[in-house]
Amino acid sequence: MEPKFCRESRCVKISRVFPNDLNDHNTLFGGKLMAYIDDIASISAARHARANVVTASTDSVDFLCPIRQSDSVCLTSYVTWTGRTSMEVFVKVVAEDLKTGERRIAATAFLTFVALDDQGTPVPVPPVRPESEEERVLYETAPRRAELRKQHRNESKALAAHLRTEKFWDEV
C-alpha cells in the first residue's frame, strides 16, 4: 500500500466552553473532553483507512492544565503510526483564552483504532509518512508506545481472567 501523509488524516475541532460543560471546579468536565477526543480521533482513523474503524483502546489521556469557561478548546488529531490493521491516532488539545489570546497545551491523547471491512473483519491500512518535526517525533517514538500497549493489553487480559461477572447481589 502507498504511504499516506499524516496531514491527510488531520482533523480540527474548535468549541466554546459553556456553563453546562463545567465540573464542580468550574473547568471543562473531563468526560466531555474525552468524548471530543474519541470523536475526532475516529474521523482521523477513518480518513486514513477509508474504511470503518473501531476504537481498540484509549491508550492515554493526559490532562495538563485546566480548561476554563473563558476558553475555547481546539482539538487536532491525525494518524501517527500504523500496524497491519491498526492505527495510532494522536490528539492535541489547545485551550485559548478568548480575551487574552493566550494558548496552551491543555491535554494530549493517544488512541488505537482498527480498520474493518463491512463484515467486521480487520483490513490492512496504509503506512504513515510524517513531514513536520512534531509528526516525526511522534512517528519515531510510536514503536515504544506500541510495545507498551501490547504489554498493557496482555496484563488487562490476565486481570480479566480473575474478574467475576455475577450480579452484584449474588457476590459473596
Side-chain angles (χ1 to χ4, degrees):
M1 294 181 118
E2 195 67 27
K4 289 187 175 183
F5 293 108
C6 294
R7 64 179 146 84
E8 293 179 71
S9 64
R10 184 169 286 119
C11 295
V12 177
K13 174 185 179 63
I14 302 173
S15 296
R16 289 191 73 107
V17 179
F18 290 106
N20 62 331
D21 299 328
L22 303 178
N23 60 24
D24 292 348
H25 306 286
N26 287 318
T27 59
L28 181 64
F29 179 57
K32 179 87 168 185
L33 183 58
M34 290 172 69
Y36 286 162
I37 287 168
D38 190 46
D39 180 45
I40 195 168
S42 72
I43 296 169
S44 286
R47 276 187 174 173
H48 184 82
R50 292 299 175 196
N52 297 319
V53 297
V54 293
T55 308
S57 64
T58 300
D59 306 321
S60 67
V61 178
D62 294 308
F63 301 99
L64 303 174
C65 68
I67 301 170
R68 300 177 295 267
Q69 187 177 346
S70 58
D71 295 331
S72 68
V73 60
C74 177
L75 293 88
T76 303
S77 66
Y78 54 91
V79 175
T80 55
W81 190 77
T82 61
R84 193 178 73 74
T85 62
S86 64
M87 297 159 279
E88 177 188 81
V89 180
F90 173 68
V91 182
K92 174 175 54 177
V93 179
V94 176
E96 178 181 345
D97 185 303
L98 292 172
K99 293 180 180 168
T100 67
E102 175 206 2
R103 294 172 58 86
R104 60 206 185 278
I105 303 292
T108 59
F110 288 96
L111 298 89
T112 301
F113 289 82
V114 174
L116 303 174
D117 65 18
D118 291 337
Q119 288 69 48
T121 303
V123 295
V125 296
V128 171
R129 183 177 294 161
E131 295 176 285
S132 72
E133 177 65 21
E134 178 179 283
E135 293 166 356
R136 278 191 290 279
V137 167
L138 292 167
Y139 180 82
E140 290 166 4
T141 55
R144 174 71 178 134
R145 286 189 301 278
E147 183 57 38
L148 290 172
R149 270 193 297 276
K150 183 179 179 182
Q151 179 181 344
H152 181 76
R153 184 166 175 78
N154 289 338
E155 290 169 0
S156 291
K157 284 182 177 182
L159 175 62
H162 298 282
L163 301 178
R164 297 169 30 179
T165 59
E166 293 87 6
K167 296 178 184 103
F168 71 89
W169 54 82
D170 292 336
E171 291 183 10
V172 178

